[in-house]
Amino acid sequence: MRSWVDGRFGDLADFLLRHWDAARAPLPPKPSPLAEPPVSADLLDLLRWLGVALIGAGETTNRVQSMLDELAHRYGAQGVHFFVLPTGVFVRIQDANGSAVDILSASVDTLRLDQIAALYRLLDRVKAELPPPTEVTRSLQGIFDSEPRNPVLLTMLGQVVLTVGLGLMLNPAAHALVGYCVLGGLVGVLVWLAHRIPLLSLALPVTAAALVSWVAFRFPAQLSGGHPSQLLIPAVATMLPGAMLTNGTIELATGSMVAGASRLIYGMNVLLLLSFGLLIGLEGLGRHPVPESSGVDQLGWWAPFLGVLLIGIGHSWRASAPPKSLGWLLIVLYVTYAAQALGGHFSGQVLGAFLGGLIAVPAAYLVQRRKNAPPSQVAFLPAFWMLVPGGIGLTGVSDLIGQSDPNGLHVIVSALLTVLSIALGVLVGSGLVGDQRPRISTLLDTFLPAGRS
């Protein structure tokens, strides 16, 4: 009988005993509340968007990282580290509980000059007042969403004026003026269409170069007086990846190997696409015309100086420069051109490119200190684009493809040396103004009105 009872009720007794013990056991401790993150979500969002904006303003990745570090420290953020690439901004937050990584893709296009000016003025205000991060982020979004100051027709006219100015600087031929105007207008229309047609935007370098070469060589007498080759570089100069190649070289020199290598590869790819477009345009004619050398119809010594003036006006209209900034842009442009011409006269193109890059940065920095002057990056970029570091590279690659010149390697080497010279000049010029004002500031103060410190 006992065995029968144990068999029937033994399992029930074990079940009751186990639950009795469990009920008497102490309760587990309540989980501690989650620790606050070392950086607020609003500040993290601001830092990410600010990094993307600075990339769009043409800053090198090293410079962007330095500016983000400074701003994070001003807001009292600790344990924040940045890794900046041309295509995105990585932010790592680390504290005693571990670390987390966030990223924002740099999908913002290259900013206009008025957007760049607004960005740096916003940065100055942030450093002085430290407003709430959400307020600064809203201001950044407003800068991104702002419409160009100039109407579409004035922007296209700026492309034409810029092309004529570059033509007067690079090859001041009287018979080519009509060609500069026609091809500049053609490129301006294509750029306007590319902003509205995504497929054309992807193929813009090839399409523009092909149409420019086809039109130039199809109507050589009407557009260039029989010398169509002198029209090519000024017409497509705004698409040359000079800034990409130069910034990539600077980044490689300062240890940012990933960013520098990616920029250089991208720049070389754009050069190849432009050269491929030129070749397609020539093939479309059904023959292989050899570019003639320019004739004797060159304008006088004053033509390059007029070209610099037109470059300033064209950039001001095309890139929507801030109000009352044209005079300051022209000062930097003329100083840069004078340095480039001086170096070219005494030694050659390589030294001229170095001196141009060297002088452009301090000149833009000193201009920035004047009252009502634009930020240094706005004053610097038109002068930087005027140096046209990719021009020789485009010509060399096109000649190698179209003429199979076995000795054309020296042209590419010369182009690379030119880019290296500009990059080295910009790097040295940035070092001159990085920690202290250069001594030439007192000379500039003599000729320019006193401004902001």
Side-chain angles (χ1 to χ4, degrees):
M1 174 66 73
R2 182 180 179 83
S3 60
W4 179 83
V5 173
D6 291 341
R8 295 280 296 184
F9 299 101
D11 293 339
L12 179 59
D14 292 341
F15 175 79
L16 293 175
L17 287 174
R18 284 197 304 269
H19 280 73
W20 174 258
D21 293 338
R24 296 181 60 189
L27 295 176
K30 294 182 179 180
S32 58
L34 294 177
E36 290 293 329
V39 178
S40 68
D42 294 337
L43 179 57
L44 175 62
D45 196 43
L46 166 61
L47 294 173
R48 292 185 304 164
W49 277 108
L50 183 59
V52 169
L54 291 171
I55 292 174
E59 293 281 6
T60 62
T61 55
N62 283 329
R63 174 71 173 157
V64 174
Q65 183 171 328
S66 174
M67 297 173 76
L68 293 179
D69 285 333
E70 179 186 358
L71 192 63
H73 290 155
R74 283 182 176 269
Y75 274 100
Q78 303 296 328
V80 185
H81 305 278
F82 301 96
F83 180 63
V84 182
L85 294 175
T87 54
V89 178
F90 292 81
V91 183
R92 186 176 74 127
I93 305 173
Q94 185 174 12
D95 63 358
N97 298 323
S99 62
V101 177
D102 203 353
I103 182 176
L104 181 62
S105 174
S107 57
V108 178
D109 294 332
T110 301
L111 299 180
R112 305 184 306 270
L113 291 181
D114 61 330
Q115 291 176 311
I116 296 175
L119 170 63
Y120 283 91
R121 291 196 175 99
L122 177 62
L123 271 176
D124 291 340
R125 186 171 74 87
V126 169
K127 293 177 182 178
E129 303 174 4
L130 292 182
T134 53
E135 177 185 338
V136 183
T137 304
R138 285 195 300 268
S139 299
L140 277 177
Q141 294 295 335
I143 293 174
F144 293 147
D145 298 335
S146 63
E147 296 294 331
R149 294 180 52 253
N150 299 327
V152 174
L153 290 180
L154 187 59
T155 302
M156 292 185 181
L157 180 60
Q159 178 71 39
V160 175
V161 173
L162 178 60
T163 302
V164 175
L166 289 170
L168 291 178
M169 264 197 60
L170 301 176
N171 196 0
H175 290 302
L177 294 179
V178 175
Y180 293 149
C181 293
V182 172
L183 296 181
L186 176 62
V187 172
V189 172
L190 287 175
V191 172
W192 177 75
L193 290 175
H195 287 296
R196 289 153 180 81
I197 305 175
L199 183 60
L200 178 59
S201 177
L202 294 175
L204 182 59
V206 176
T207 304
L211 286 179
V212 163
S213 61
W214 186 87
V215 172
F217 283 92
R218 179 65 179 82
F219 307 99
Q222 295 86 344
L223 297 181
S224 61
H227 308 291
S229 61
Q230 64 191 9
L231 303 177
L232 301 181
I233 299 303
V236 299
T238 55
M239 299 182 186
L240 294 173
M244 191 67 65
L245 293 172
T246 306
N247 281 346
T249 305
I250 293 174
E251 287 165 348
L252 285 177
T254 53
S256 298
M257 292 180 288
V258 177
S262 62
R263 286 190 195 267
L264 285 179
I265 293 174
Y266 180 86
M268 294 301 296
N269 180 66
V270 174
L271 281 180
L272 289 174
L273 290 176
L274 289 170
S275 302
F276 180 63
L278 292 180
L279 183 60
I280 290 178
L282 298 182
E283 293 286 347
L285 297 173
R287 55 192 177 90
H288 297 280
V290 178
E292 303 88 347
S293 59
S294 58
V296 295
D297 59 338
Q298 300 290 307
L299 298 174
W301 60 268
W302 48 267
F305 294 94
L306 176 60
V308 175
L309 173 63
L310 295 180
I311 288 174
I313 296 175
H315 267 304
S316 177
W317 292 348
R318 176 181 175 271
S320 190
K324 301 179 181 179
S325 62
L326 177 59
W328 303 108
L329 300 185
L330 290 175
I331 291 175
V332 180
L333 283 169
Y334 276 110
V335 170
T336 303
Y337 174 72
Q340 184 184 19
L342 184 65
H345 175 74
F346 285 103
S347 180
Q349 180 176 355
V350 174
L351 180 60
F354 170 78
L355 290 181
L358 172 65
I359 294 300
V361 180
Y365 175 82
L366 294 174
V367 161
Q368 175 187 244
R369 297 170 50 214
R370 305 301 101 190
K371 186 177 181 181
N372 298 324
S376 60
Q377 187 75 353
V378 174
F380 167 72
L381 283 177
F384 184 51
W385 292 326
M386 185 184 65
L387 297 175
V388 194
I392 300 178
L394 175 64
T395 306
V397 174
S398 178
D399 289 345
L400 289 176
I401 294 176
Q403 303 178 14
S404 301
D405 182 6
N407 299 318
L409 183 61
H410 71 281
V411 182
I412 297 181
V413 173
S414 177
L416 293 177
L417 288 177
T418 303
V419 171
L420 287 172
S421 300
I422 295 175
L424 182 60
V426 172
L427 196 59
V428 174
S430 301
L432 290 176
V433 299
D435 298 325
Q436 58 183 1
R437 295 175 181 173
R439 296 183 181 275
I440 59 174
S441 62
T442 55
L443 180 62
L444 194 64
D445 288 334
T446 304
F447 297 98
L448 295 177
R452 60 173 180 256
S453 56

